[in-house]
Amino acid sequence: MKIKIITALTIVFLAGCTRLDQTFYDRVTPETFFKSEKDIKAALYRPFTHARWYLGADRWKLQEYTADHFAITTKGRHWYNGGENERYHYHSWTPDDNWIWETWRGTLMGVALALDAKSDLSKLDYSKFALTQADKDDHVNQLNTLIALFYLYGLDYFGGLPIFESLEGSSLPRNTDQETFNHIETLLKEAILKLPKKQAADKEEGALRAAAAAALLARLYFNAEAYVGTPKFTEAQKLCEDIIAGVYGTYLLDPVWNGVHGFKNHESKEIIWSIPSEFNKLQYDWFYADFYHYNTRQYFDVDGGANNGGHLQPSRKPTGELYKASFRLGSPYEKFNDADLRKHPYKYNGGGRYEGMFIIGPHLTPGGAVINGGEEYKDKPLVFVDQVGRFTEVGPGKKYATVAVLPSRMADGEENTGVRLVKVPIPNKSDNSLRWGADNPAIRLSEIYFMLAECKMRAADPGGAATLINEVRKRNFTGTDPDPATVANLDEYRMLDEWGIEFLGEGRRRTDLIRFKKFTTETWWDHQPTEAYRSRFPVPTRAISGNNNLKQNTGYGK
């Protein structure tokens, strides 16, 4: 079998499945091409670099900007973007929208890259490289787990996908939802048996171990009702119980709230799988440009600006009144208790130490100097508000007489609109070597606690569920938790709030709303219920135009 040399530039998925532009070299085989262990690792790592990209950017946007926590409002002359941001917020996206195309393409590209590496490594005699059969099994099953991960995300976004196990086919049709589900399940069950279990002394450096495969299988079962119409919470519960019990390796909840997000989070015993990040290498930084104001560089005391796009959806009306009386979802900032350590404004304290994870209120430099705006608040102090409205257009002789009549819609943002999330810490210039030193915690033990809690809640054990939630919550307070989960308050909305508080901005909100059947049925800020078929995205026009065998999802036309 000849080796396929695949790069991001030569992979072409216009056919929506496995059609690739491939370069072949005569008389080159895996056995002769791989010269050392370094070559093996290079082949193994390539699909992981794709996963680094895949777990952010457009996949994150489809999860968060379509749900009740984040928005990209139009801010004066900025960010209308041809109505794209509004289409996602209002659930009126089309098969031509680019985030959807990039996600379809990126999903199947990830499968292909992992399959290609698996094909080549499977043919090698590892003993020739001073490696063992156990090393080979580990590498192959890491790739199997990665394939399952891409298919799992694809199933979540689109439903059934073309299933391929080699790179020889082209123009494949979509398999059914159930067939895709079964394929993921088979891959993960095999990987769980063959991947090594984490030992207490093992470092977290991006390798997929047995617990990661078990966690992904738990996710599959946890959301099975949305995927294939059959609840599998009992199966998810058993996996979560085993992970917590250490059946798949040694993991512990981090004792501090930012241990899983900070500069040394590779040392956290809570992380089950992370994507490593290192300054000027494979950086976990895609969000920086979109989340922060042009002048926030002065707040962080760093070089390099941002484009002032996304922010939290507002918790308050222009009048200052809380929205909680109007709808149960959304209002993410005010869902945090005032005593929660995370609710503090973000402040870098030097030496890798920091506090808080929000930008709100007056924007000041670390030295206390006022930071001015450049648009509506040009030469005026920037004050970030948990509201959306054109406040500069209120007053005598202006468009709006009072804030009482000020509309709050996607079209009504200003440059200071919305609370900004700083979940990944930003050091100042004096500690610039730490920048992007925080890894992306893709799977962490607190997710397993929350999955188990929800399973127990659904199984009529709210006391057991509350205990698990509170075990995670307690690290967020200096004293006693003032608002713990209890049997009395733990309903589906409180459970969704707990997911939202703990995992704010971690690219999962849409999936959680769908599991509770609230993604298309509920109201949140500037959003009304939409058609049930919007729980899945359409197959992109560009994919179908290259592959007539692909069928469109229900509701999106032919």
Side-chain angles (χ1 to χ4, degrees), residues 117-241:
K118 176 184 171 182
S119 174
D120 288 342
L121 297 184
S122 296
K123 296 177 176 67
L124 297 179
D125 179 354
Y126 268 47
S127 65
K128 295 181 178 180
F129 304 91
L131 296 171
T132 66
Q133 183 62 40
D135 292 322
K136 184 174 183 178
D137 289 343
D138 175 34
H139 293 172
V140 168
N141 282 285
Q142 284 198 65
L143 293 167
N144 279 339
T145 304
L146 207 53
I147 292 166
L149 178 144
F150 289 122
Y151 271 123
L152 176 56
Y153 274 82
L155 177 64
D156 189 279
Y157 290 125
F158 300 105
L161 295 168
I163 295 175
F164 52 99
E165 298 185 67
S166 74
L167 303 183
E168 302 307 314
S170 64
S171 299
L172 296 178
R174 296 173 69 187
N175 288 75
T176 66
D177 301 344
Q178 188 66 59
E179 289 167 343
T180 306
F181 183 98
N182 293 346
H183 184 57
I184 298 165
E185 182 182 40
T186 298
L187 288 168
L188 291 174
K189 281 184 172 180
E190 180 180 358
I192 289 170
L193 294 174
K194 295 184 178 181
L195 285 173
K197 299 175 183 179
K198 181 185 178 183
Q199 304 303 312
D202 289 342
K203 295 181 179 179
E204 173 50 47
E205 296 178 330
L208 284 160
R209 297 185 175 96
L216 291 174
L217 185 58
R219 283 186 187 177
L220 180 71
Y221 291 147
F222 193 53
N223 295 288
E225 186 173 9
Y227 297 158
V228 294
T230 304
K232 289 185 177 290
F233 292 107
T234 301
E235 293 87 338
Q237 177 168 337
K238 179 62 167 63
L239 283 162
C240 291
E241 289 171 341

Side-chain angles (χ1 to χ4, degrees), residues 464-476:
T467 297
L468 289 160
I469 292 168
N470 293 333
E471 190 65 23
V472 178
R473 281 181 60 93
K474 68 182 183 181
R475 65 189 177 191
N476 302 309

